[in-house]
Amino acid sequence: MKRLLLPSPRLAGTIRPRRWALAAAAFAASAGAGALWATAQAETSARQLAQTRSALAALRAELAEAEALAAALPDALARWRRLEQAGAFGPHSSSRWPAALRQTLQRDIRAQVTSAHFSPPRSLGGEDEHPVVLASTLALELKLVHEGHLPALLATIDTNAGALVRKRRCRIERLRERHPDARSAALSAHCELDWITVDAGLGGSTR
Amino acid sequence: MKRPPVLLKVDEIGLELFELHPHGVRTLASFARGETAALTGWLHEHPPAAALRAVVELGAEAFELEELPRVRGADRRALLARRLAASFPDPGFASAKVLAGSAPSAPAHSEHLLFCGLSETSAIEPWMEALRAAGARVSETVPASSLAAHLGAGAPGSGAALVVHFSRAGMRLTAARGGQALFSRLAAGFPAAVAAADARWIDEVALTLDYLAGVATLALPATLPVFIHADADRLAGGDALHADARVGDRIEFVALPTAHASAQGDPPARFTAAADAALLHWLAAAPPGLGWTAGGADRAGRRRRTTFAFSAAALALALAASASAALDWTQARAHERERRQLHTQHEQLRRQLAALATASADERKRVRQMLATLAALADAQLPEISTAALFRWLADALAALPPNSLHSLEWQWQAASEPGLAVEIGLATPADDALAARSAPVHGVGRLRRDALIEQLRAHGAVAPRTVEASAAALRIGFELPLALFAGDPR
C-alpha cells in the first residue's frame, strides 16, 4: 500500500488555477526589475558620458592655451633676452645711484649734474605675484659746456645704471649769462629718464 | 492560543462537529437528523470563533455532462443559471465546471460542461437554516465527491482514477480526472463498519467500474486505476483483493493517515472513526472554491476573467517595462560608444599636449608671466632714438641756419600710434635785426624765412612741422620725428 503524499494540496489547489497569472506577475516583476536596472545603466552611462565630455572640453581649452603660448614663446624669449642684455633685471634701488655711476659722473668735467632726483617707484604692470616691473623717473639738471656732451653723458648713464633707462624728454637751452671762459657751461639741460627694473621671480632664467 | 478549526460533516444520519488537532480529530458534538434546534442551542453555547467548513456526504448527488455553445459575459451567466435551475432544486448546492477537451462529435465553438450538485436538498437545508439562525458562518460547503477527486486520486496530473473512500454514511466511489469529479455514487449499504465485515463491497467497486466503462461521454480508460482509502486489513476481503480478477490488477490501497482522538470501541468502530477523520482532513486541506457556490461555473468564469485581466495587465506592464528597458539599454550602449570615441579623442589631445613645450601648467604659468611682463615693458622694448642721432639730424636739417641760431631744443619720446620724438626748437631772433622788429615788410621777410625753415624740416623727414610761437621775442617750431626715420641708426 502506498501512502499518498500530497504536500499542501490546499496550496497546490490555490496556485494551480492561478498559475498563468502568477507566471505573468513573475514575468512583469522580472521585466520591471530589468527596466529599473536598464534605467540605472542609462543614467550611469549618461553621467559618465557627461564627465567625459567635460574632461574633453577642458583638455581642448588647455591644449588651445598651450598651443597659443607655445607659438608666442620664441618671440617672447627673444625679447626677454634683449631685456636681459639691456640690464632690465635686478633690484629696484632708485634711492641711490649705483656707486660706480656716481663716481663716473663726478669725474666728468664736460657735464655737471647740478640736481638729480628720483621719483617714488611706480608699477608698470605684470601679473600678480610675478615679476614686478617698477619705474622711477630721474629728473636731471645739468650744466653743459657743449650740447655734444649730453649724448655722451646719457650714454654713460645707460651703461652704468644697473637698470633699463629710457629717455623721456630733454630740454637744452643756452644760458643767457655766460662766463667768458670757454670751459665754463654754456648750456643748461633738463632731462627726465625712466629708471626701469624687473624684479624677477623669473629673473633671467629662461629656456 | 489559536483555536483549532471547527469542521462539519453532514450525511443522511445527521450532522457532526469536529475539532481538528495536530494529533487527530476530536468530536465536539453529534446531532441526529432533525435535531436542528439542538444544533442551534449548541452553537449558541459554543459560538465558533471562525467560519466553518462543511463536507456533505449525501447520496443525492447528480452529475450531468453536456455540450453547450461557447458564449461569454452576461449571456453565459444567464445560460448557466438556467441550466442549473432546470436540473437542481437549489443552485446553491450545484455547480457547473468546464472540462478540458470536447467530445469528437461536439460542434465547433462549444464547450464541455459538467453540471453537478444535489438533486435533493431536504437532508441539508434544515441544517443550513439552523446554522444561519445561530449566526454561524459557513465559508465552504464541499461535496465529499469533490474532496475525493481533488485529494484522493493520486499525484496531480496522474490521470483518471476511481477513488473509493468510506464513512459512517457509506462507501463513496468517485470517478476523477484532473482533480475533477466526473461521476460519484454513495453505496449506503457499505459504510465503513459494514465493509469491515462484508466483502461484498468489492462487488460495488466492480459494478461501478463496469458502469463507467460504458459511459462513452466520460471517455475514461478501460483499465481505470482504483485508489481505496483504507487499510487493507481493516476491510473484509481486503488482503485478497489483488487476486480478484475483476479489479485485482488495478487496486491500490492508501493508508488512512489520520487518527481519531475520540475513537473507541471495536475495530469497525475505530475504522469508521479513522475513515471519517481522513475525510475531515481532506476538508481542511481543500483549496478555496472547491465547494458549492451559486452559479459555480459563472464564478469560475469570473475568476478566469479576473485572472485573464490581471494576466493581461501584468503582460502589458511587462511589455512596457521591457520596451523601456530596451530603450534605456540602447541609449546606454549609444552613450558608451560615444564615450569611447570621446576617450580616444581625449588620448589624442593628451599626446598633442605632451609634445608641446608648454605642456605643463607650471610652464604655461611661467610663459604667461613672461608675456605679462613684456606687455608691461612694451614701451621700453621699442628702440630709442639716440640723442646723438637726433643731434645729427638737426645738424643736417638746420644746416642753412646761421651758427648759434638754435636757442633751445626740447624733445620728448612718444610711443603713441607711431613711436618717435616730438621736437620743438627755439630759434633766436637776432637782436640787431631792427628791420624785422619794426616794419611790416620785415615781418613778411621773417615769415618767408620761417616758411623756408619749415620746408627744410619737412624735406628732411619731419612730420607736421608748424609754428608754435612766432613773436618778436621768440620763434618756436614744432615737429615730429618718427622712429622709422632713424631705422639704421644704432641706439
Side-chain angles (χ1 to χ4, degrees), chain A residues 1-6 8-14 16-18 20-22 24-25 27-28 31-32 34-35 37-42 45-49 52-53 55-56 59-60 62-63 65-67 69-70 72-73 75-77 79-80 82-83 88-89 124-131 133 147-151 154 158 164-174 176 187 191 194 196-198 201-202 205-207, chain B residues 53 150-156 227 229-233 252-257 283-288 303 307 310-311 314-315 317-319 321-322 324-326 328-329 331-336 338-339 342-343 345-347 349-350 352-353 356-359 361 363-377 379-384 387-388 391 404-413 415 424 491:
Chain A
M1 92 184 55
K2 182 176 76 176
R3 182 184 294 269
L4 282 176
L5 296 177
L6 297 172
S8 190
R10 186 167 180 173
L11 180 61
T14 303
R16 194 175 300 124
R18 299 171 178 82
W20 296 115
L22 291 173
F27 180 49
W37 178 83
T39 299
Q41 289 293 303
S45 66
R47 189 170 58 249
Q48 289 174 344
L49 178 62
T52 303
R53 280 178 179 156
L56 185 61
L59 183 59
R60 282 201 177 110
E62 188 180 353
L63 180 62
E65 187 195 20
E67 285 175 337
L69 291 174
L73 185 58
D75 178 65
L77 282 175
R79 289 188 287 157
W80 195 264
R82 284 198 292 273
L83 287 171
F89 296 102
L124 294 186
E127 281 201 351
D128 294 340
E129 302 174 5
H130 298 313
V133 182
E147 64 269 15
H149 294 157
L150 181 59
L154 293 177
D158 265 343
L164 187 65
V165 179
R166 303 289 292 183
K167 281 55 125 204
R168 289 299 168 196
R169 60 185 297 179
C170 275
R171 178 182 174 81
I172 301 178
E173 198 167 356
R174 292 190 187 281
R176 294 189 182 279
L187 303 165
C191 287
D194 274 344
I196 301 171
T197 58
V198 181
L202 295 180
S205 57
T206 54
R207 284 195 286 149
Chain B
R53 281 192 151 205
H150 196 79
L151 298 167
F227 294 103
H229 287 265
D231 301 307
D233 56 354
E252 187 169 337
F253 284 94
V254 180
L256 296 177
L283 176 63
R303 188 167 57 237
T307 302
F310 176 80
S311 301
L315 194 60
L317 195 63
L319 289 174
S322 298
S324 172
D328 284 338
W329 176 246
Q331 198 170 45
R333 300 303 299 163
H335 286 165
E336 183 58 26
E338 184 178 352
R339 193 189 68 79
L342 293 180
H343 184 72
Q345 291 179 28
H346 191 272
E347 291 304 307
L349 292 181
R350 282 180 69 84
Q352 288 180 32
L353 180 62
L356 294 175
T358 51
E363 188 57 33
R364 290 197 292 276
K365 183 178 177 183
R366 283 160 54 86
V367 175
R368 279 197 300 270
Q369 291 169 6
M370 184 188 299
L371 292 174
T373 304
L374 291 173
L377 290 168
D379 177 32
Q381 295 169 75
L382 292 170
E384 283 189 312
T387 309
F391 285 4
N404 297 326
S405 297
L406 193 62
H407 181 262
S408 66
L409 169 64
E410 183 173 355
W411 70 97
Q412 182 173 337
W413 174 257
E424 190 176 292
R491 178 175 178 272

Side-chain angles (χ1 to χ4, degrees), chain B residues 162 164 166 171 173 185 187 190 195 198-211 228 236-237 241 244-247 251:
Chain B
L162 181 67
V164 179
F166 296 88
M171 176 179 71
L173 303 99
R185 61 181 283 258
F190 291 97
D198 187 348
R200 285 181 292 171
W201 63 270
I202 302 171
D203 297 335
E204 293 291 337
V205 176
L207 186 66
T208 304
L209 286 172
D210 287 341
Y211 169 74
I228 301 177
L241 188 58
D244 188 306
R246 296 170 294 174
V247 300
I251 293 292

Side-chain angles (χ1 to χ4, degrees), chain B residues 423-469:
Chain B
V423 183
E424 190 176 292
I425 56 177
L427 298 170
T429 304
D432 57 353
D433 192 351
L435 285 177
R438 290 195 298 272
S439 70
V442 173
H443 280 289
V445 170
R447 187 165 62 249
L448 282 174
R449 278 170 41 205
R450 187 172 69 241
D451 293 344
L453 177 59
I454 287 174
E455 279 308 310
Q456 188 74 3
L457 291 170
R458 186 179 285 118
H460 278 77
V463 175
R466 59 210 175 267
T467 303
V468 176
E469 181 185 356

